[in-house]
Amino acid sequence: MPNIRTRLLVVLVVLFGSLTVAGPTPATAAPLPDSLWFDETPLTVRSGRFVDGNGREVVLRGYNVSGETKLKENNGLPFASTADAKKSATALRALGGGNSVRFLLSWAYAEPVRGQVDTGYLAKATDQIRAFLDAGIRVYPDFHQDLHSRWLFDTDSWYTGDGAPKWAVDLGDYPDEYCGICPFWGQNITSNEAVKQSTYDFWHNEYGLQDAFLDTAQKTMTYLRQNLTADRFAGVVGFDPYNEPHAGSYDSGQTSRTWERDVLWPFYEKFRARMDAAGWQDKPLFAEPNLFWNANLDFQKQEGGLLDAGTLGPRYVFNTHFYDQKAISGIFMWGKAADGQYAGDFGTVRDRAAATGTTAIISEFGHPLTGSVSDKAPTVYKAMYQALDSRVKGASWWSNPAGSGPVLSGSQWQWDIYNGRHHELMNDNPDKVQTSGDAWNGEDLSAVRLDDSGTPVLRQDARLLDRVYPSATSGTTVAFTYEDRSRDGSTTLTWNPVPGSLPNVAQLVGSGQYGLLLWRSNGGSAPTELHLPATFPTASTTVVSDLGTAYAPPSYGSATPVGVAAEPGGTGSRRLLLTDTDSGVLHYALVTNGATTAPSAALLTAARSELSTWAARNAG
């Protein structure tokens, strides 16, 4: 009987999805500016990696767009206009080096009246998503919530929330919100009875709340599919159903682990069925475990990580967040982050993804850029990006590159061009107008802002954010590292210097930035791609690879083993393209901006010889 009921449910869901959202199927769009024959293919999950249509491993790097969705000032949208979305997308690609975004959506504004999806909201959100897709940026939408709903909070409250609509809150007889002594807004999750009880009701489908959410999610996904061209829809990677899930309260005898097994995972299975019904069968669900499964404060950590979900496989992505709560507290970590600080934390993410048979993404990470602990930000961010690149710290990388593990995808929190320029009436209180920072619960984490001329500018060191990374690898990645030489004040942070045992490589790199990728070929015809930051102008970029050496690499061509091309989208960002013609062979490529003048042929040859010997000995 259970199997029969399940089949009947899926049939009804498919019928429901096909009948509830109308809309014309758009015409096919022209190729993106600067695209090449191997661009713009959809991503799938295969062998524990994101893979494109050419069989290349893909790494997603970018930002959350944006916490503005959590505010009312633009009615649950990241941007006030499509023009602002286009401006932001171009800057994200050109200044921030991103190839993907987690695009926040709001249930409250998608379904302001129960059972009635606001197609006006969906149309504006789709236009803003289209702006990123047209800039060559892949998108995975996220129905975002924090503290369940803004309508739980009093007008004079210290805090606010986002997520559920007002009608959903009105259904429950929730107590007046109160957090007690809560210096951090996240403490409301476990201390505010209004938040706990309303969250509990959602997970237990009281008043049909979860059903209503699933209906709206399905209609939203159907609308996106029907109102994006096929080419654009190919750039939509998947869907993140629910931000930072937590039980609210556990039932008697229930643990965080059994809650994941008995409550959270069945919700994801229901959402997966809705994705299929909406025409998203080939796109993965980005499944987040219990919020506190990987907390780095022992008293806050809760067992989880989808330990009982079995093999997730290609229809799911292991999707998690990581913030250094010790560093943010200002109490439990007095100093700054160091080389390898998060290698263990991010290694745990790699291990959980591998155990579940899928790939991983850290869809939120970050640290405050102002306030009492902001002095830690340069080192915390550097250590987080370092851990995304490799599970081996810099001091050990050259002697153990094979221990690196897969390069992790990640989306930094956050990219909000309105940072410091908001006008948010907190909880609709005209006497509490929020303008500074992110305008939400005192946070200030945006990597970008607008200057007085309305131009997007970075708020963090460009050398940290705009990074070399392997956006697509034709084969299997063996190891990767990037020394960004980002700054902490006036100090240049160098955690992975080229060892003295490679004197010619060290001379070539000098005091410059460098990235080094090792991969094993798979016989694919599409090239391996490395994003080239703005600090790597083509005219002063050096490449040393077993495929060839080049100073000021030439333009890409099918017969050019080392070449440079624009990235798709017409934003002016660039990529290094490396073409091999074999299978099962170990390849390497060093890219650096350390040479200020053309290095001699003898130096390039000597550096290549050193790297060939080193690669064979340490990774062959």
Side-chain angles (χ1 to χ4, degrees):
M1 285 297 292
N3 289 335
I4 293 173
R5 285 198 299 268
T6 298
R7 287 194 291 270
L8 288 173
L9 174 62
V10 171
V11 170
L12 289 172
V13 166
V14 171
L15 289 173
F16 182 80
S18 65
L19 296 174
T20 52
V21 179
T25 300
T28 301
L32 292 180
D34 298 322
S35 61
L36 297 170
W37 66 267
F38 43 83
D39 293 326
E40 300 179 69
T41 64
L43 296 189
T44 55
V45 176
R46 188 192 312 163
S47 301
R49 305 288 191 273
F50 286 115
V51 177
D52 69 8
N54 302 292
R56 300 182 299 174
E57 292 182 0
V58 170
V59 172
L60 301 175
R61 290 288 176 88
Y63 304 83
N64 281 263
V65 177
S66 94
E68 171 76 19
T69 298
K70 304 198 295 190
L71 307 181
K72 192 177 181 181
E73 65 180 5
N74 284 327
N75 295 317
L77 291 166
F79 302 100
S81 65
T82 302
D84 278 1
K86 291 177 179 178
K87 177 191 293 187
S88 185
T90 299
L92 187 146
R93 191 76 152 144
L95 299 179
N99 68 355
S100 61
V101 295
R102 181 176 184 239
F103 190 98
L104 275 60
L105 297 170
S106 170
W107 178 22
Y109 291 93
E111 189 187 7
V113 177
R114 183 165 194 169
Q116 299 180 25
V117 172
D118 185 346
T119 55
Y121 172 79
L122 296 185
K124 291 177 181 179
T126 302
D127 283 345
Q128 295 184 9
I129 288 173
R130 191 179 292 115
F132 285 83
L133 296 170
D134 288 349
I137 297 169
R138 296 186 187 269
V139 174
Y140 61 107
D142 154 51
F143 261 121
H144 207 82
Q145 73 79 38
D146 292 285
L147 310 183
H148 190 67
S149 175
R150 74 190 306 271
W151 283 279
L152 286 171
F153 290 84
D154 300 329
T155 56
D156 60 349
S157 176
W158 286 7
Y159 297 113
T160 190
D162 68 287
K166 183 178 186 298
W167 62 259
V169 172
D170 290 344
L171 288 171
D173 184 21
Y174 302 122
D176 191 45
E177 59 91 8
Y178 176 70
C179 191
I181 303 175
C182 292
F184 301 104
W185 69 260
Q187 292 173 269
N188 284 271
I189 297 170
T190 55
S191 299
N192 190 324
E193 283 299 319
V195 173
K196 292 168 63 177
Q197 291 182 29
S198 58
T199 302
Y200 179 94
D201 282 354
F202 174 84
W203 291 118
H204 290 78
N205 201 25
E206 291 292 331
Y207 318 111
L209 289 172
Q210 192 177 118
D211 290 340
F213 174 81
L214 290 168
D215 289 347
T216 297
Q218 181 179 333
K219 293 173 185 177
T220 298
M221 289 185 286
T222 302
Y223 187 94
L224 286 170
R225 178 181 58 79
Q226 292 179 341
N227 289 276
L228 292 171
T229 63
D231 289 343
R232 288 179 174 126
F233 190 57
V236 178
V237 182
F239 209 104
D240 184 348
Y242 193 94
N243 179 68
E244 297 182 353
H246 185 262
S249 299
Y250 294 117
D251 289 323
S252 177
Q254 191 176 54
T255 66
S256 55
R257 179 169 178 171
T258 59
W259 178 80
E260 279 193 349
R261 182 191 68 197
D262 300 334
V263 178
L264 180 61
W265 186 251
F267 166 76
Y268 287 144
E269 291 181 315
K270 294 174 187 175
F271 199 99
R272 176 71 264 180
R274 298 304 185 107
M275 290 178 70
D276 295 347
W280 293 51
Q281 300 94 324
D282 298 327
K283 300 181 186 294
L285 181 153
F286 286 58
E288 295 191 41
N290 169 22
L291 164 64
F292 297 118
W293 83 278
N294 61 342
N296 70 344
L297 288 172
D298 290 341
F299 61 82
Q300 197 168 51
K301 191 167 186 173
Q302 298 179 9
E303 186 180 26
L306 304 180
L307 293 169
D308 301 298
T311 300
L312 304 186
R315 286 165 59 77
Y316 296 88
V317 169
F318 187 79
N319 169 26
T320 188
H321 297 173
F322 183 80
Y323 292 92
D324 186 344
Q325 296 158 313
K326 293 180 180 178
I328 292 173
S329 73
I331 299 172
F332 298 101
M333 179 182 133
W334 288 98
K336 298 184 179 184
D339 177 22
Q341 182 100 4
Y342 307 115
D345 296 296
F346 286 33
T348 299
V349 174
R350 288 178 170 90
D351 292 342
R352 284 303 305 139
T356 58
T358 189
T359 190
I361 189 167
I362 298 182
S363 58
E364 283 191 29
F365 63 93
H367 188 84
L369 297 180
T370 55
S372 61
V373 298
S374 61
D375 64 307
K376 304 177 191 295
T379 57
V380 166
Y381 278 102
K382 181 179 175 73
M384 288 181 174
Y385 274 110
Q386 179 195 52
L388 287 173
D389 290 343
S390 171
R391 68 189 303 161
V392 179
K393 67 179 183 178
S396 305
W397 191 88
W398 284 90
S399 61
N400 183 29
S404 289
V407 181
L408 285 176
S409 295
S411 301
Q412 181 177 324
W413 186 273
Q414 64 161 330
W415 190 269
D416 175 16
I417 60 172
Y418 307 119
N419 176 272
R421 296 176 180 270
H422 291 284
H423 188 83
E424 173 72 0
L425 276 62
M426 186 175 181
N427 300 318
D428 297 319
N429 187 339
D431 296 325
K432 296 190 72 173
V433 178
Q434 306 296 299
T435 59
S436 62
D438 301 337
W440 196 84
N441 286 343
E443 289 197 337
D444 186 9
L445 283 86
S446 178
V448 70
R449 64 176 178 87
L450 297 177
D451 67 13
D452 290 340
S453 69
T455 301
V457 293
L458 295 179
R459 301 179 65 227
Q460 295 177 266
D461 188 350
R463 290 179 288 192
L464 171 74
L465 299 182
D466 190 12
R467 309 175 63 78
V468 173
Y469 62 92
S471 52
T473 300
S474 186
T476 302
T477 302
V478 175
F480 174 71
T481 191
Y482 181 54
E483 179 48 78
D484 55 45
R485 313 267 193 192
S486 57
R487 294 160 293 191
D488 180 8
S490 61
T491 301
T492 298
L493 302 171
T494 303
W495 291 352
N496 193 359
V498 178
S501 57
L502 301 170
N504 292 289
V505 176
Q507 180 181 342
L508 193 64
V509 170
S511 60
Q513 299 167 293
Y514 78 88
L516 179 53
L517 174 69
L518 292 93
W519 76 99
R520 195 169 298 278
S521 60
N522 66 355
S525 57
T528 290
E529 298 187 27
L530 291 166
H531 170 70
L532 286 178
T535 54
F536 281 69
T538 303
S540 56
T541 291
T542 304
V543 181
V544 178
S545 171
D546 65 294
L547 301 173
T549 61
Y551 178 76
S555 297
Y556 167 75
S558 58
T560 306
V562 178
V564 171
E567 290 177 317
T571 61
S573 55
R574 295 162 304 113
R575 50 186 161 170
L576 177 69
L577 298 171
L578 306 159
T579 304
D580 60 64
T581 58
D582 46 39
S583 181
V585 176
L586 180 69
H587 296 287
Y588 65 84
L590 171 82
V591 55
T592 181
N593 59 6
T596 56
T597 59
S600 67
L603 178 58
L604 291 174
T605 299
R608 183 180 183 183
S609 177
E610 286 178 353
L611 285 171
S612 294
T613 300
W614 168 83
R617 183 175 63 247
N618 290 281

